[in-house]
Amino acid sequence: MSDTGSADKLTLHYAPRSRASTTRVLLDELGAPYDLHVLNMRGGELKSPDYLAINPLGKVPALTHGDTVVTESVAIALYAGDLFPQAGLTPAIGDPRRGAYLRWMVFYAACFEPALMDKVLGHDPGPQSPYGTYDKVMETLAEQLGKAPYLLGDEITLADIHWGAALRWTLMFKLVPDLPVFTEYAERITSRPSFQHVFQDEGRLDAEHEAAAAKASGGN
Ligand SMILES: N[C@@H](CCC(=O)N[C@@H](CS)C(=O)NCC(=O)O)C(=O)O
């Protein structure tokens, strides 16, 4: 048995500068041993039969652990967080913060991302919207982040790794309001060495992928 509670190795199926970047940082923060399976998103590798057998949606991240396949960045974060509680970033079952931890992780996938996508695409979610309104989602998140340095209080958790990264890219693409509570939080989280290390490595990987895709399509 390894530290993971299983002899099976973790493999992160990953493409640079994507949602999988957050998962990579998260695994590093957990101190998880894992193999990195780098895919060239620009070169169409996410739609190859081999990768579609892992994630039929053709999207990253995905995590494999023996015969277990976990897709969806939030599910991967929760799964990995429970495998490595010793990192001190996972509010475990019985921790009074556990409910809030699950709430805010699922809020990301169930409310925040759908609200952003509807807004960008000009879709009116209507009165049956599963997230209420875009404005209410932003307001709810801003209010929570305004209470303490981290989402669940004075101590950082995996939820912050996830949300810090999310706010960084959504601010960059102007998908969320430019509120100081968002910008300061995103900066606080993503200035951590774990993020800086991955961002640096991704610059190199992405340039390689761009060159490979250009070459494959007959460019220089
Ligand atoms: N709901 C998924 C979203 C995954 C996703 O959209 N990933 C993007 C990269 S950021 C992707 O793989 N895009 C490739 C494509 O759609 O072809 C999650 O949170 O993991």
Side-chain angles (χ1 to χ4, degrees):
M1 296 276 276
S2 74
D3 287 346
T4 61
S6 157
D8 297 320
K9 195 79 184 270
L10 293 168
T11 300
L12 172 62
H13 306 272
Y14 153 94
R17 295 187 170 156
S18 75
R19 287 171 179 81
S21 310
T22 310
T23 312
R24 186 175 166 191
V25 172
L26 198 127
L27 292 174
D28 291 345
E29 287 269 0
L30 287 172
Y34 66 96
D35 289 332
L36 196 62
H37 174 207
V38 180
L39 292 146
N40 187 342
M41 184 154 55
R42 297 173 183 272
E45 288 180 4
L46 299 191
K47 309 301 176 207
S48 72
D50 281 355
Y51 187 65
L52 290 175
I54 294 170
N55 185 355
L57 300 187
K59 291 185 179 282
V60 284
L63 186 76
T64 45
H65 185 207
D67 291 337
T68 301
V69 178
V70 191
T71 64
E72 296 305 316
S73 52
V74 167
I76 296 170
L78 296 174
Y79 182 84
D82 285 345
L83 279 182
F84 298 95
Q86 64 272 30
L89 292 167
T90 314
I93 293 176
D95 184 316
R97 299 169 305 164
R98 178 79 177 183
Y101 170 64
L102 296 177
R103 173 193 174 192
W104 288 105
M105 291 301 273
V106 174
F107 185 87
Y108 173 82
C111 302
F112 181 78
E113 277 220 13
L116 294 187
M117 290 306 157
D118 281 345
K119 173 105 171 155
V120 167
L121 298 171
H123 292 160
D124 176 1
Q128 307 299 329
S129 158
Y131 59 79
T133 63
Y134 171 90
D135 288 346
K136 198 67 198 168
V137 167
M138 295 304 139
E139 214 180 283
T140 305
L141 179 63
E143 192 189 323
Q144 181 68 14
L145 289 176
K147 290 180 186 169
Y150 299 110
L151 197 61
L152 306 185
D154 290 332
E155 278 179 43
I156 190 164
T157 67
L158 275 195
D160 296 299
I161 304 302
H162 188 83
W163 274 100
L167 283 174
R168 178 179 179 272
W169 73 262
T170 54
L171 280 162
M172 209 184 286
F173 291 110
K174 302 195 184 313
L175 300 175
V176 296
D178 202 5
L179 303 172
V181 72
F182 289 165
T183 54
E184 287 164 18
Y185 173 80
E187 173 58 26
R188 184 174 322 131
I189 305 300
T190 63
S191 58
R192 293 170 69 82
S194 55
F195 278 95
Q196 294 307 312
H197 168 75
V198 168
F199 292 159
Q200 225 171 40
D201 190 49
E202 294 199 316
R204 172 190 65 83
L205 275 174
D206 199 36
E208 282 175 18
H209 287 187
E210 195 174 356
K215 197 170 169 194
S217 68
N220 293 317

